[in-house]
Amino acid sequence: MNKTFLRASVLGGTTTALLAFAPLAQAQSSVTLFTLVDANVSHYSAGSKSGAGSQTAMNDGTTNGLNGSRWGVRTTEDLGGGLKAGVLLENGFNVDNGTSGQGGRAFGRQAFVWLSSASVGELRLGRQYILEDSVMGLSNPFTNALTLNPGTGVTNAGKALPLWLNAPRADNVIQVQTVNYSGFQAAAQVAPGEKTADRFYGVKLSYSQGALNTALSYEWNRSRTTGDNVNKSLTVAANYNFGPVKVLGGVQRNRDLVTTSVNGAFTGNNLTVTGDSTFAMDRSDGTTIGVEVPVTQWVLLGANYTRVKYANAAGQNSTLGKIAFGARYALSKNTFLYASVSQATGDLKDYISQKGVTQVGLRTAF
């Protein structure tokens, strides 16, 4: 069967199923304007062979913060019979210098329209988070934040190098997601390349029940020049809340990495690894394990260790890891003080600009 026809049939069938649950009724609408601002001051101790010097910098929350600064509009229209529609428009900005984030896009964080049925699931169209981002969030304290974030890359001999792959967004995404069936939920994404990027695909399966949360995602690109599947990324994560402590962990396996896809799981422009030797990597394997400890209703502590092995088909490889500790203090339900430290480990620790990081920050929302 033609694959394009199959994809169109599945997505068309999902839309038809959603619309089948829409009775003629007077819609109830809501519009919410929201803002979140996060800033931190970080000190970076560079490795002795990185070619960089140590420095102190103010950052927006997109770098080692709890959240990236943003403002946005969220709308919801209740169409009746369990059917709803809405829009999410989210602009990112850098509070440290007032510039626009995500390359200056008007709504670079997210911009999509959605339609959902309480008995079928949800359809989303537009720029949105890839599925891996939410899976990785289950694997680490504070949910992809502070210096404990496995997805925060490093500067390796002057070039950006990813730790775990985490885009974390893609353009032109069509997403379908099921309702929750006894704790199980599935989702799929596809984004056409539109002749300027590789086609992007992603699938996710999750299970949550009581104290246990677990999920996996698999994402890849279809090369617009060769037709090969590239940037193949598998992420598996889980956490379990024992009450006094939550244990978290995950693994990520990446293969056939390229820098030309533009959209999807990997959008970086560098795969060169510089250590005692220099090589171009085309694969990586990552692990992370951590704990989260609520001391009081206001204080949350976390610690984790993340490690990545970079390699290629010729057998060359190098490792990079980091051990990190963090704390968050709630001044209210929307305002937090936070602090964290991290120390690099592995073969590349002396070749990166972020060998040691210490930071303090403030986040508020309204």
Side-chain angles (χ1 to χ4, degrees):
M1 181 182 290
N2 182 275
K3 293 182 180 178
T4 302
F5 175 75
L6 176 60
R7 286 192 297 272
S9 298
V10 171
L11 293 170
T14 302
T15 306
T16 302
L18 290 169
L19 292 175
F21 289 86
L24 293 177
Q26 184 174 358
Q28 300 295 318
S29 301
S30 67
V31 179
T32 302
L33 177 65
F34 60 91
T35 303
L36 184 153
V37 180
D38 188 328
N40 63 77
V41 177
S42 299
H43 179 76
Y44 300 94
S45 299
S48 59
K49 301 176 183 178
S50 66
S54 298
Q55 67 166 336
T56 299
M58 179 177 287
N59 299 314
D60 181 74
T62 51
T63 303
N64 295 334
L66 284 173
N67 307 101
S69 297
R70 70 198 70 174
W71 69 269
V73 178
R74 183 184 296 110
T75 72
T76 300
E77 184 179 19
D78 190 339
L79 302 173
L83 191 69
K84 295 182 179 181
V87 170
L88 177 61
L89 301 175
E90 197 171 76
N91 168 275
F93 61 90
N94 301 307
V95 70
D96 56 320
N97 56 23
T99 59
S100 296
Q102 292 79 49
R105 298 172 185 242
F107 297 103
R109 293 191 62 87
Q110 297 186 86
F112 62 83
V113 60
W114 56 268
L115 181 67
S116 71
S117 165
S119 58
V120 177
E122 184 183 72
L123 169 70
R124 292 182 179 182
L125 304 173
R127 176 172 170 84
Q128 52 197 289
Y129 284 95
I130 63 174
L131 300 171
E132 179 274 341
D133 186 72
S134 60
V135 176
M136 188 180 74
L138 298 178
S139 73
N140 59 94
F142 308 109
T143 313
N144 302 343
L146 312 188
T147 60
L148 295 83
N149 186 354
T152 299
V154 298
T155 305
N156 173 221
K159 296 181 179 180
L161 185 68
L163 207 55
W164 278 36
L165 295 192
N166 182 235
R169 308 170 186 85
D171 296 333
N172 308 312
V173 173
I174 304 167
Q175 175 179 301
V176 291
Q177 180 172 275
T178 69
V179 294
N180 189 306
Y181 293 104
S182 301
F184 289 97
Q185 194 166 34
Q189 293 182 334
V190 60
E194 301 183 353
K195 297 183 178 181
T196 60
D198 292 348
R199 185 179 290 268
F200 169 67
Y201 302 90
V203 292
K204 174 186 173 182
L205 178 65
S206 63
Y207 176 76
S208 296
Q209 199 68 260
L212 174 65
N213 299 283
T214 184
L216 67 84
S217 63
Y218 184 68
E219 296 169 328
W220 70 100
N221 288 106
R222 179 71 55 80
S223 172
R224 62 192 182 280
T225 55
T226 67
D228 295 334
N229 290 335
V230 296
N231 293 330
K232 295 177 283 189
S233 182
L234 171 68
T235 304
V236 182
N239 61 63
Y240 192 90
N241 192 343
F242 291 93
V245 61
K246 180 189 287 187
V247 178
L248 314 95
V251 296
Q252 188 180 77
R253 181 182 187 271
N254 305 301
R255 294 293 183 269
D256 300 318
L257 299 177
V258 300
T259 60
T260 54
S261 289
V262 181
N263 196 38
F266 179 59
T267 56
N269 58 12
N270 176 58
L271 291 171
T272 300
V273 178
T274 300
D276 293 338
S277 63
T278 299
F279 64 93
M281 62 112 164
D282 63 6
R283 65 197 67 185
S284 66
D285 292 282
T287 57
T288 189
I289 186 168
V291 294
E292 199 175 76
V293 181
V295 179
T296 70
Q297 62 177 320
W298 304 284
V299 178
L300 181 66
L301 303 180
N304 71 341
Y305 175 70
T306 302
R307 180 182 184 273
V308 173
K309 180 180 179 180
Y310 307 99
N312 61 20
Q316 296 172 291
N317 64 81
S318 289
T319 62
L320 178 63
K322 68 174 177 179
I323 184 169
F325 301 88
R328 188 190 72 192
Y329 179 76
L331 297 171
S332 72
K333 67 177 182 179
N334 293 322
T335 302
F336 301 91
L337 295 170
Y338 60 86
S340 71
V341 297
S342 67
Q343 184 66 38
T345 64
D347 302 330
L348 301 177
K349 66 179 184 296
D350 291 320
Y351 292 89
I352 64 172
S353 302
Q354 302 84 8
K355 183 177 180 180
V357 182
T358 304
Q359 55 134 213
V360 294
L362 172 64
R363 176 262 200 204
T364 190
F366 54 92

